Amino acid sequence: MQIKVTAGDITSIKTDGIIINLFEGSKKPDGATAAVDKLLNTVISQMLSAGEFKGKLNEVAVIPTFGKLPAKKVAIVGLGKPEQFALDRIRQATAEAARTLRNSGAKRIASIVHGAGAGGISPEHAGQMVAEGAILGLYTFAKYQTKSGNSKQVDEFLLIESDTQKIPAVQSGVKKGEIIANAVNFTRDLVNEPASVMTPTELANRARKIARQVGLEIKVLGRPELEKLGFGALLAVAKGSQQPPQFIILRYWGAGKKSKLAPVGLIGKGITFDSGGISIKPWSGMDEMKADMAGAAAVIGTMVAIAQLKPKLNVTALVPATENLPSGSAFKPGDILRTFSGNTIEIVTTDAEGRLILADAIGYAKRLGLTPLIDVATLTGACDIALGPFTSGAFGNNQQLIDELIQASKPAGEYIWQMPMFEEYAELDKSNIADIKNIGGRSGGAITAAKFIEFFVGDTPWVHFDIAPTNFVGTSEKEKHYRLRGATGVMVRTLVNYLLSTSLEMNKRRGK
Ligand code: BES
Ligand code: MN
Ligand code: ZN
């Protein structure tokens, strides 16, 4: 889909549908909405006074114009109460309105830049949010739907701004929003793909292909290299599978290879299917375990965006990828593994496999000297039970880093909640036979999993995101705005924001 910014008046655009807005509590329309209202013989004003439209956040009414305007339909979207207005509301409202128009058959859409006139929001941010909302909200994964699949698709999305002075800023926001939202959708595509397609080898191949396109350095370690380097945990999880494990290394050198500052390390859990292994899971919900590589997909998607946004900093992403399957050659409860770092792990359940492959990846990240470390993983059902479907858990050993990431998550519209990491929890992971065991019991399961990772991290500043709650919208959930069924692509927007603001900070400190 093409997004274009043009100067003009939304009332004179010939297209399938135009998007205008209204704040909740408005007595009468103003701005572009008032102009449209007038041409529609005040139907919007009448809807308002009759209580047929209230302007509640993401409320959408589609009004056919019957020739009163060059556009065939008008979608009016509620922005909620003005005092609660925020960047993510622009994203949500755009997504909801665009999706409603698309579902009513519109192929060409034009929109005003919501928020570009509102106090406190820059035209650049407004443009970025509208672009993100449109691209995220119109996402589909229809490649396996033989007939209905691709019939309803928007080809053109125009942003109309009447104030020509704002156009360059809106345009640059749109560019940024396109890069970020397309990276989120790339992440969603990786996750939505069935596990029999998205094997570790396929994940590596997709990473290679996109790395070539956007200009990222890539290296993939296969079984022979992993054996030589001693990735004992990753290799153990891979033992039950016919598919060879892969360890994907993506590197971005925006500050140059000679920079004295260490690269930031991103690590993503890449279990392309989690059956539980010998400790096999029950059938219910196992289909969603194709998404157990959502952390991997998120860090790859983040690198794809960063390579195009080109901030002056270095970032390296590490992705341990394997299936977790039961078979005659699978690893077993009671086994003891030796990790990349030399520490040993007692296996109590083969279903706590994510932390095992992360242990190897963290060891390797430390060998490369990456800092800080940020891992993203669909790690525990316990985190989902604790936080519910809208919030990712954050765990770490460095409050400043956690605060910076939470700050970055706000304009991203991604909820993050910090979880406790008191030292007593580490005792629950103690093993009688190895250095640590891979399960700390049912209670506090998300925390003992984070404590397990911390054991391998040591003192390096680190944050772990448990995205088991947020990575996937199940079939029973109702879709709204850009929250569509299947993969969410969670954490890409937060990580990109974080990396852009750290690079700004670093360069400020260096006086650039
Ligand atoms: N991949 C799962 C966690 C998960 C559960 C992600 C639900 C998304 C939705 C992970 O590998 C796992 O199986 N965790 C176990 C850990 C337990 C055995 C200590 C869990 O949460 O039950
Ligand atoms: Mn598991
Ligand atoms: Zn898993």
Side-chain angles (χ1 to χ4, degrees), residues 269 271 273-276 281 289 292-293 324 350-355 378-380:
K269 170 178 172 182
I271 296 290
F273 188 73
D274 183 12
S275 70
K281 289 178 181 297
M289 285 301 117
D292 211 19
M293 36 60 77
N324 184 24
T350 62
D351 198 11
E353 83 298 336
R355 64 197 77 182
T378 47
L379 206 64
T380 66

Side-chain angles (χ1 to χ4, degrees), residues 473-486:
V473 176
T475 35
S476 59
E477 216 183 297
K478 197 166 161 281
E479 300 193 307
K480 59 180 205 180
H481 54 82
Y482 56 82
R483 190 178 164 80
L484 309 175
R485 269 175 224 122

